[in-house]
Amino acid sequence: MEQTFIMIKPDGVQRGLVGDLISRFEKRGFFLKGLKLITVERSFAEKHYEDLSAKPFFAGLVEYIISGPVVAMVWEGKNIVATGRKMIGATNPSNAEPGTIRADFAIEVGRNVIHGSDAVESARKEIALWFPEGLSNWRSNLHSWIYE
Ligand code: DAT
Ligand code: MG
């Protein structure tokens, strides 16, 4: 089953959105496979966002991500990478569709509350980076109530 890396950014933690955001993924029918509250080092944040290192907003983005604890998670389910991105909404909250996380909880692109992997391959890389210790391998008893 497909997995994705989801991170609640420092603003989401500070604003008390952790429970609500986790709830959205749980209620949809996705399964939580990894979870931790962690404040990352600058070099780690730079590695996570290495593909964006040439962008003018890179330094500010790194400052934001290291500004407080984040909630790092791995979620699992059918087509979760693409579905997770849809649930999160457009990068700039002002372009995000109503009902998406970024439309419901954010105003500015540099305070957009949550990260989600953009492809199966980047999910694999991000999960390996954030969870080198591995994941929990449990299987929900609700599986057959969610999947045909
Ligand atoms: P996403 O987080 O939707 O995958 P991304 O990977 O292109 O978007 O960029 C990572 C983060 O960088 C994004 O969540 C917020 C910030 N960012 C992206 N584009 C930006 C811009 N034009 N100005 C300021 N910050 C930006
Ligand atoms: Mg991205």
Side-chain angles (χ1 to χ4, degrees), residues 9 49 52 57 61 85 90-91 102 109-110 112 114-116:
K9 295 176 176 178
Y49 280 124
L52 300 174
F57 56 82
L61 175 61
R85 293 281 295 187
T91 302
R102 284 169 173 166
V109 68
N112 64 3
I114 192 166
H115 165 85

Side-chain angles (χ1 to χ4, degrees), residues 13-145:
V13 175
Q14 295 286 349
R15 292 173 56 198
L17 302 178
V18 171
D20 197 305
L21 297 178
I22 288 178
S23 249
R24 289 183 177 221
F25 287 87
E26 277 188 323
K27 287 176 182 166
R28 184 73 191 255
F30 294 128
F31 300 119
L32 184 61
K33 294 297 172 101
L35 172 72
K36 60 187 173 188
L37 181 80
I38 174 177
T39 306
V40 298
E41 308 263 333
R42 182 177 302 274
S43 57
F44 187 94
E46 288 170 349
K47 174 104 187 115
H48 171 74
Y49 280 124
E50 67 185 358
D51 293 350
L52 300 174
S53 61
K55 301 282 187 190
F57 56 82
F58 182 71
L61 175 61
V62 169
E63 286 299 333
Y64 162 48
I65 293 304
I66 68 174
S67 65
V70 301
V71 174
M73 297 178 280
V74 175
W75 288 89
E76 184 176 284
K78 184 177 180 181
N79 208 20
I80 185 151
V81 172
T83 303
R85 293 281 295 187
K86 280 190 199 149
M87 290 167 66
I88 287 170
T91 302
N92 190 328
S94 61
N95 299 328
E97 293 295 326
T100 63
I101 291 167
R102 284 169 173 166
D104 288 354
F105 296 112
I107 304 285
E108 299 231 59
V109 68
R111 298 287 184 273
N112 64 3
V113 169
I114 192 166
H115 165 85
S117 308
D118 63 8
V120 172
E121 179 54 22
S122 47
R124 194 192 55 71
K125 273 172 65 180
E126 290 172 3
I127 291 167
L129 176 67
W130 287 81
F131 288 90
E133 68 274 28
L135 302 169
S136 171
N137 196 348
W138 70 291
R139 183 179 162 96
S140 170
N141 289 323
L142 294 181
H143 211 273
S144 62
W145 296 105

